[in-house]
Structures are given as structure tokens and as C-alpha cells.
Amino acid sequence: IPLLRRALAMSKRPLLLFASPWTAPAWMRSNGDVRGKGTLKGHAGDKYHKTWANYFIKFLDEYAKCNVTFWAVTAQNEPLAGLFTPPQAPTIAFTAAQQRDFIAQDLGPALARSPHRTRLLMLDDQRIHLPHWAKVVLGNATAARYVAGLAVHWYLDAIVPPGCSLEATHKLFPDHFLLYTEACTGFFMFR
């Protein structure tokens, strides 16, 4: 929070902050650990999913008490990485259908009821999942009304051309923006 306050004070323009979760608490996960392969217990609409959605609101509440607001949150950082992650990595696996249902039944309504004007971003994973992921989530009218845009990572961009992923998705859903939210160099050790 002190670093965010310093950055906000130094900026000549407002900074638009977004947050992205890595994992839910161990007691809410199918493997009973914050690390490794696991999903949220149960299914969308149940106590685990509602509680996880409320964690987002509590996070926003606590930062707001410190005068830090978030422009957006993502529903999950790299939801498909949860299927392939090393055992020590914290993550939650979601399929596109599971993310759609979580957004439609739990996270979207929780954000809408909250006092926060925080936007919701979906996917937050590699663009190779587009446009399929967008079709599943944004093809559902209930989920689509809660989603402002799509968060995309760049690590596997060489596998699929932007016309087949980004452009195709934009043509299907022009009212939802596409935003790169994660990138770094050195990801592939052999380069």
C-alpha cells in the first residue's frame, strides 16, 4: 500500500490498478492446499463460490479504507495453468464454463451489489484460448453483462496469429475490450 500510494502521488494522470487472484484459501480448494492442482470445491452458486466472491469484495473494501481503489479485477489469474502447474505453485483451475458460471452466479452479482465501481475482466490467460473462451463466457447474456473486457497474457503468442485470436474475438464481441495484463521476458529458459 505505501508503494501504491507513492506511485499514485507521483503520477501526473490517474493510475488504473487491477488485481488478479492466484488462489483461494486451502479450505475452499478441492486439494486442501493453496498450492498445486485444484479447483474451488463444489460448483457455482454454492457456499464456496459465494464465499470466494465475497473475498474479492473484502479485498476491495480493505484497500478502499487505505484510499486505494481498483479499476478492475480479473476472475482468476491463468485459470488453465491450474491444470498444468508445478506442485508448489498457487493456482485455481477453471474451465471456460466454470469461469462463466462463477461470474454469472457469484462474482458478477457480488461486484454489482458492492459499493465499488470496479470492472470485471475475464480469462486472464494466454490468447491461444481465444475466441473459444470468449464465446463460452460472453455467449452467456448473464455473464456478459458483468464483464467489461478480456485480460490476455503473451507467453504463447507465437503459437496462434493475432488475427485468429484477438481480431476474431474483437469481431465477435466488439463491446468488450482486450487488454494485455501479464508479460515478462525469460519465461522460456531455452531462449
Side-chain angles (χ1 to χ4, degrees):
I1 291 173
L3 288 174
L4 288 174
R5 283 185 176 157
R6 284 177 58 197
L8 291 164
M10 292 170 59
S11 179
K12 294 179 182 174
R13 304 182 287 181
L15 293 180
L16 300 178
L17 303 175
F18 78 92
S20 185
W22 280 64
T23 187
W27 67 269
M28 297 174 71
R29 290 175 37 102
S30 61
N31 68 347
D33 194 335
V34 296
R35 299 163 298 174
K37 296 177 182 160
T39 62
L40 282 176
K41 289 180 181 176
H43 52 83
D46 71 8
K47 67 180 181 179
Y48 297 104
H49 287 70
K50 297 251 181 264
T51 300
W52 183 229
N54 287 330
Y55 266 68
F56 282 73
I57 306 309
K58 184 68 171 171
F59 169 86
L60 295 170
D61 290 345
E62 293 303 312
Y63 272 84
K65 288 177 186 176
C66 298
N67 295 318
V68 176
T69 59
F70 286 83
W71 166 75
V73 294
T74 74
Q76 174 61 39
N77 179 59
E78 295 190 353
L80 286 178
L83 301 174
F84 311 106
T85 189
Q88 69 277 15
T91 186
I92 300 175
F94 275 101
T95 65
Q98 288 168 327
Q99 189 173 84
R100 174 199 63 212
D101 296 346
F102 175 58
I103 288 170
Q105 296 181 41
D106 305 298
L107 184 55
L111 281 169
R113 284 189 308 269
S114 82
H116 307 287
R117 295 304 84 192
T118 305
R119 296 172 182 224
L120 178 58
L121 307 181
M122 56 163 276
L123 184 57
D124 207 19
D125 210 331
Q126 313 309 315
R127 79 175 191 207
I128 62 171
H129 305 305
L130 296 175
H132 167 74
W133 200 281
K135 287 178 183 178
V136 172
V137 177
L138 299 177
N140 177 284
T142 303
R145 74 177 183 184
Y146 295 119
V147 174
L150 293 85
V152 184
H153 297 183
W154 81 335
Y155 305 107
L156 303 177
D157 279 4
I159 295 172
V160 62
C164 298
S165 56
L166 300 175
E167 187 177 342
T169 302
H170 176 67
K171 284 180 180 177
L172 289 168
F173 304 101
D175 295 333
H176 292 82
F177 61 84
L178 294 153
L179 177 67
Y180 271 91
T181 55
E182 184 180 318
C184 72
T185 59
F187 173 73
F188 291 113
M189 300 300 181
F190 53 85
R191 287 190 181 171

